[in-house]
Amino acid sequence: MIAITDYLAKKPYPGRGILIGRSQDNLATYVVYFIMGRSKNSQNRIFVPTPDGIKTQAYDPAQLEDPSLIIYHPVRRLADGRFIMTNGDQTDTLRDFLGRNETMEAALATRTFEPDAPNWTPRISGVVNPEGTYVLSILKTCEGNENTEERFFFHYDKPQPGQGHFISTYAGGGSPVPSFEGEPLCTEVPWNDALTMAGDVWESLNDANKVSLYAASIFTETGEIDSTIINKHQ
């Protein structure tokens, strides 16, 4: 297992990231979702709470340019307790399909990577089930070739206390930005609460590029959620 804070501290631009894992006492699933940005438009965002999760919003509406790939609902919770996190509007696709008792795979079969040449940003998604099992997915090109499509799903049916998995859109900096490759990273989950987890991960992100972060503890027995939001622009 790696220390996710050490990993992120060495990555100037992992883009958007999802971390899901179990608390050390095995009472809760811990989740983190963060966004970063290099352009003025991407930096001009904050997370705001909604009744079923969070959404992105322009910090300064007058400075908002193209909202198509930056304004969306990153986190949504279904009535049955399933918890969805993604880096785009596929959150709504998953909500609709899962709400009809269809699969995550069927939902994401209707989607592909983002149309943002030359990066072709992957779509990353995570679904946490009420009992604490979870799935991570990435939809991407093969080595930046826009004529290819690759769809990967990673099921974690026996999550271990103090352990989690992390996936991001990018592998680091560059132009075009290289996509994340390989399996989700197996990470330590050493925290005892969402607030401490949020602060540690936030501090590990590159100061110039980080934008917003959401973290939550989802308690398995009760379904209660303890969450926090950190925005660069407050």
Side-chain angles (χ1 to χ4, degrees):
M1 290 188 292
I2 66 167
I4 189 60
T5 50
D6 291 346
Y7 172 83
L8 291 172
K10 299 173 184 176
K11 298 286 183 179
Y13 194 58
R16 287 161 279 179
I18 295 173
L19 171 64
I20 304 175
R22 291 295 293 177
S23 61
Q24 290 186 322
D25 59 14
N26 206 28
L27 297 178
T29 299
Y30 284 0
V31 300
V32 175
Y33 176 74
F34 64 78
I35 60 174
M36 305 181 78
R38 297 189 297 181
S39 70
K40 184 177 179 181
N41 197 43
S42 293
Q43 284 274 336
N44 182 35
R45 288 183 290 174
I46 57 174
F47 285 167
V48 295
T50 66
D52 65 346
I54 61 170
K55 65 179 180 180
T56 60
Q57 181 175 290
Y59 173 67
D60 181 356
Q63 299 295 319
L64 179 64
E65 298 171 5
D66 179 8
S68 59
L69 294 176
I70 66 167
I71 302 299
Y72 56 94
H73 289 80
V75 174
R76 287 199 134 145
R77 195 183 196 199
L78 299 180
D80 64 7
R82 282 180 291 182
F83 196 88
I84 304 167
M85 292 191 301
T86 88
N87 70 319
D89 62 8
Q90 73 268 28
T91 309
D92 296 342
T93 304
L94 284 163
R95 177 198 58 182
D96 294 344
F97 271 71
L98 296 178
R100 298 194 299 264
N101 292 319
E102 298 185 63
T103 65
M104 183 179 184
E105 287 82 356
L108 293 177
T110 68
R111 306 304 303 268
T112 188
F113 49 83
E114 294 183 353
D116 61 338
N119 295 316
W120 308 114
T121 299
R123 291 190 186 271
I124 58 172
S125 306
V127 173
V128 180
N129 297 310
E131 70 276 12
T133 63
Y134 55 92
V135 186
L136 286 167
S137 170
I138 183 169
L139 313 180
K140 62 187 294 293
T141 67
C142 178
E143 298 184 344
N145 182 352
E146 68 270 27
N147 296 311
T148 63
E149 289 187 13
E150 298 183 341
R151 303 170 186 276
F152 300 95
F153 295 84
F154 303 90
H155 293 254
Y156 300 97
D157 295 337
K158 294 183 179 180
Q160 297 299 301
Q163 178 178 307
H165 295 87
F166 172 79
I167 195 168
S168 60
T169 52
Y170 304 131
S175 183
V177 191
S179 296
F180 184 93
E181 296 283 350
E183 296 182 14
L185 302 175
C186 184
T187 71
E188 298 173 352
V189 180
W191 303 282
N192 294 315
D193 62 89
L195 185 61
T196 303
M197 174 174 61
D200 287 351
V201 176
W202 178 255
E203 288 303 315
S204 71
L205 297 174
N206 181 274
D207 284 338
N209 296 323
K210 63 186 179 184
V211 176
S212 295
L213 180 145
Y214 169 90
S217 308
I218 309 168
F219 293 94
T220 307
E221 185 173 339
T222 65
E224 179 185 354
I225 294 179
D226 180 16
S227 64
T228 188
I229 289 172
I230 301 175
N231 290 311
K232 186 174 185 177
H233 303 296
Q234 295 289 352

